[in-house]
Amino acid sequence: MKENLKALKKYPIVIAFMVFLMGFAVLDELWPKRDYSEMENRELAQRPQLTLASLLEEDTSETWMAKYNTYTQDQVAFRDEWINLKSAMEAVLLKTENNGVWYGRDDTMFAKALSIGGYFERNLTAIERMCERHPGLVDVMIVPSASLVQADRLPAHAPAADEGACLDELAARLAGKANVYDMRETLGAHKDEYIYYRTDHHWTAEGAYYAYKAYAEAKGLPVFDPDSVAWKTVPDFYGTNYSKARKLGTVPDVIEYPDLPNQLTIVGEQQADGEVRDVTGPLYEESYFATRDKYRAFLRGNHAFSLLEGDGEGSVLVVKDSYANSFVPYLVADYETIAIVDFRANYQRIDDILAAGDYDSVLILYSFQGFSTDVNLASRIAVGAAQPAAAE
């Protein structure tokens, strides 16, 4: 035993490394586990339950081992500090990408998308079937990503999935079934303007307005006049791309939004006291502007079902992801009632929602990334079969 100890003393670096590993393993196990990362603006993986089914799972990304690996990465001690250190090293090495984010010119950041989300085809098919059940009712706007519209700002030779081909396919398959609003040309005409946040994956209120204006003009609706209302400004917005990459010297974004008096009712929302009730309030939750997740202030966050009081006539149902949150406020100029449904939190069927309301039109408004990765949309809207044509 003494001889072994003497032998180990010849390798102090090895001993120090082993002590470090064992010490860090103990520290990592005792480190407080978090449900949510404020800095990364996302939920963190929790310890998965070990079951026979999880061990035999065919999908390698859903096995217990894969989920446990994600858990250990999300809950590692000093996680935020490790991410900051990695970002600093990437900057020193002049890397153009970090943690799934491209560093573009003009202080921009782009989500790195090398493949199309696995739900694009399924969701497109579901929309086709919905349009067949409700002819003439459906408008579709799938907003192209900043990396497509502002591709000239990407690093040289940065690979990307062929988003344009998917948008072409969507337009072709929905032709004659839905009114498709292809925003590539509209936004492309303003690509050098501040239409997408530099540090976040969303478009700005300005970008949303250009899309809204094209929508309203095509439908023959009154166009919201941005000069008719006061605008508010919120500085120091660091968005989702920054949260992932933590690039040194990042220039923060500025949020601007129209200060509208219209009231928004969140329907059937569970409150802190456990009671489920409708809550009517302002269009924006301004307290969120003081948090890291500032974009959440639009429409007071993402809710299952909401009703916005407009100044126009008729009604519209907006089926959406968070991209619509900065678009919807402009619709107050066009409709008396704007119903807003987010199927990430709403478990109703679209046909049931339509049967319960009297809507003049339905607008399906998603970001391309949100549309191609939404796991709930198809199951909510692909209900029933197309009705046979009436005999002449």
Side-chain angles (χ1 to χ4, degrees):
M1 184 64 177
K2 290 183 178 180
E3 293 179 357
N4 291 334
L5 290 175
K6 288 182 179 180
L8 284 174
K9 290 181 179 179
K10 297 179 181 180
Y11 305 98
I13 296 178
V14 173
I15 295 174
F17 184 67
M18 291 175 63
V19 170
F20 170 78
L21 285 181
M22 289 186 290
F24 192 84
V26 173
L27 175 65
D28 196 39
E29 186 63 29
L30 298 176
W31 195 258
K33 303 301 183 280
R34 299 181 295 171
D35 295 326
Y36 185 82
S37 170
E38 181 72 19
M39 183 171 288
E40 297 177 71
N41 189 24
R42 70 177 182 89
E43 294 182 355
L44 299 177
Q46 303 301 303
R47 187 188 298 271
Q49 184 178 3
L50 180 60
T51 64
L52 181 60
S54 66
L55 291 174
L56 301 178
E57 172 64 50
E58 293 183 3
D59 186 346
T60 55
S61 65
E62 293 296 320
T63 63
W64 179 87
M65 183 61 72
K67 290 183 177 180
Y68 191 82
N69 183 55
T70 302
Y71 159 75
T72 57
Q73 292 176 6
D74 277 8
Q75 301 293 348
V76 66
F78 303 110
R79 175 179 173 80
D80 292 343
E81 287 72 19
W82 288 119
I83 293 176
N84 285 334
L85 177 61
K86 180 176 183 293
S87 298
M89 293 302 298
E90 299 286 354
V92 170
L93 296 173
L94 302 179
K95 292 282 189 74
T96 57
E97 182 270 341
N98 181 31
N99 199 25
V101 173
W102 292 113
Y103 297 152
R105 67 176 179 83
D106 300 329
D107 297 309
T108 53
M109 298 181 183
F110 300 91
K112 186 177 181 180
L114 301 181
S115 61
I116 303 300
Y119 288 85
F120 176 84
E121 174 63 29
R122 181 182 175 189
N123 291 335
L124 177 53
T125 299
I127 290 180
E128 284 187 281
R129 294 174 180 171
M130 176 185 170
C131 292
E132 291 167 356
R133 298 195 308 275
H134 305 284
L137 187 67
V138 183
D139 301 317
V140 178
M141 183 185 294
I142 306 301
V143 184
S145 305
S147 56
L148 179 63
V149 175
Q150 299 176 329
D152 57 336
R153 298 189 184 190
L154 285 167
H157 311 299
D162 195 349
E163 182 177 320
C166 291
L167 291 173
D168 288 340
E169 179 187 358
L170 182 143
R173 286 174 55 178
L174 296 182
K177 300 177 181 179
N179 301 312
V180 178
Y181 295 87
D182 189 337
M183 290 295 104
R184 285 176 288 181
E185 183 176 345
T186 297
L187 295 175
H190 301 278
K191 66 178 183 178
D192 294 327
E193 299 175 34
Y194 193 38
I195 59 174
Y196 293 94
Y197 293 113
R198 291 186 302 272
T199 69
D200 193 69
H201 68 286
H202 291 103
W203 56 3
T204 64
E206 182 177 359
Y209 179 76
Y210 287 129
Y212 157 78
K213 187 170 183 287
Y215 165 84
E217 289 177 342
K219 292 184 73 69
L221 296 168
V223 177
F224 178 90
D225 180 5
D227 295 327
S228 65
V229 298
W231 285 70
K232 290 187 175 181
T233 300
V234 180
D236 299 327
F237 173 42
Y238 292 90
T240 52
N241 290 332
Y242 171 79
S243 296
K244 293 177 182 177
R246 221 75 58 77
K247 183 183 178 183
L248 295 178
T250 294
V251 177
D253 280 296
V254 175
I255 293 177
E256 294 182 312
Y257 64 98
D259 187 16
L260 298 171
N262 303 75
Q263 294 291 288
L264 177 73
T265 298
I266 300 170
V267 178
E269 190 85 347
Q270 185 169 358
Q271 306 304 307
D273 58 8
E275 182 181 350
V276 176
R277 61 179 181 271
D278 298 351
V279 178
T280 299
L283 190 50
Y284 311 97
E285 178 51 70
E286 295 192 352
S287 65
Y288 292 149
F289 287 132
T291 69
R292 177 172 287 276
D293 189 9
K294 290 176 169 50
Y295 188 85
R296 185 184 175 194
F298 287 93
L299 299 188
R300 308 213 306 269
N302 296 310
H303 303 279
F305 193 82
S306 304
L307 292 170
L308 174 59
E309 300 173 5
D311 306 318
E313 299 178 353
S315 61
V316 63
L317 175 66
V318 180
V319 179
K320 61 90 177 179
D321 69 0
S322 58
Y323 251 62
N325 293 17
S326 54
F327 177 103
V328 166
Y330 303 123
L331 294 176
V332 299
D334 308 308
Y335 297 100
E336 180 181 6
T337 302
I338 301 112
I340 309 156
V341 60
D342 192 324
F343 283 127
R344 293 171 297 177
N346 191 314
Y347 301 101
Q348 293 177 283
R349 304 289 187 179
I350 189 68
D351 286 359
D352 294 334
I353 295 174
L354 291 174
D358 183 18
Y359 301 106
D360 299 312
S361 64
V362 176
L363 172 60
I364 299 176
L365 200 169
Y366 274 75
S367 64
F368 178 82
Q369 182 67 15
F371 179 77
S372 61
T373 58
D374 192 309
V375 301
N376 298 311
L377 180 62
S379 62
R380 304 290 188 268
I381 68 174
V383 182
Q387 298 298 313
E392 296 183 355

